[in-house]
């Protein structure tokens, strides 16, 4: 079972930037960032395969960038031009094994971090 731990959340004004980090205890086939705003379902934000292929939710395309440093076993989410609607608890997730999946859905992932709060004020 992979172990994940996020860091880097915080409060920022609209238009600002934050970078989230997620340390992983091992190798994963697929890793992703999800978020959950109060009263809403958790949604996929961005994901990256071990090949380097990336996918983004339409709401964050052009503003967020997912990346990974395999040497450090760390996943990142660079968030720019933040909006109040980006306010949520952000989770990183990992899937260890190969599979044909929808990478922005929750079901393919078998390990989750504890979450980190991101608050964007207007």
């Amino acid at each position: 079972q992979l172990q994940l731990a996020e860091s880097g959340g915080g409060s920022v004004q609209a238009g600002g930037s934050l970078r989230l980090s997620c340390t992983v205890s091992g190798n994963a086939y697929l890793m992703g960032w999800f978020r959950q705003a109060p009263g809403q379902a958790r949604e996929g934000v961005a994901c990256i395969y071990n090949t380097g292929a990336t996918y983004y939710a339409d709401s964050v395309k052009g503003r967020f960038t997912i990346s990974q440093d395999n040497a450090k076993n760390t996943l990142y989410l660079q968030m720019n031009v933040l909006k109040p609607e980006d306010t949520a608890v952000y989770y990183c997730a990992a899937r260890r094994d190969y599979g044909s999946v929808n990478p922005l859905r929750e079901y393919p992932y078998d390990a989750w971090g504890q979450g980190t709060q991101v608050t964007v004020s207007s």
Side-chain angles (χ1 to χ4, degrees):
Q1 179 84 10
L2 294 172
Q3 303 295 319
L4 311 175
E6 304 97 337
S7 61
S11 297
V12 66
Q13 288 191 326
S17 298
L18 283 174
R19 188 177 80 158
L20 305 182
S21 300
C22 174
T23 56
V24 189
S25 61
N27 296 321
Y29 164 69
L30 170 67
M31 295 201 67
W33 287 100
F34 289 74
R35 66 187 181 186
Q36 186 168 23
Q40 297 187 23
R42 190 153 55 183
E43 63 173 353
V45 173
C47 64
I48 184 167
Y49 285 88
N50 59 2
T51 59
T54 58
Y55 296 89
Y56 296 90
D58 288 343
S59 59
V60 306
K61 280 181 182 176
R63 301 188 298 121
F64 290 11
T65 302
I66 189 171
S67 62
Q68 58 189 4
D69 184 332
N70 293 325
K72 296 182 179 179
N73 277 1
T74 301
L75 177 74
Y76 301 102
L77 184 68
Q78 177 66 42
M79 305 185 293
N80 298 328
V81 194
L82 282 161
K83 304 175 180 180
E85 51 263 45
D86 295 318
T87 295
V89 177
Y90 283 71
Y91 300 88
C92 65
R95 176 184 175 90
R96 180 187 291 275
D97 298 322
Y98 170 83
S100 179
V101 299
N102 183 335
L104 290 179
R105 297 285 300 277
E106 291 185 67
Y107 73 88
Y109 296 87
D110 43 38
W112 293 82
Q114 81 285 357
T116 185
Q117 177 70 45
V118 171
T119 302
V120 184
S121 57
S122 57

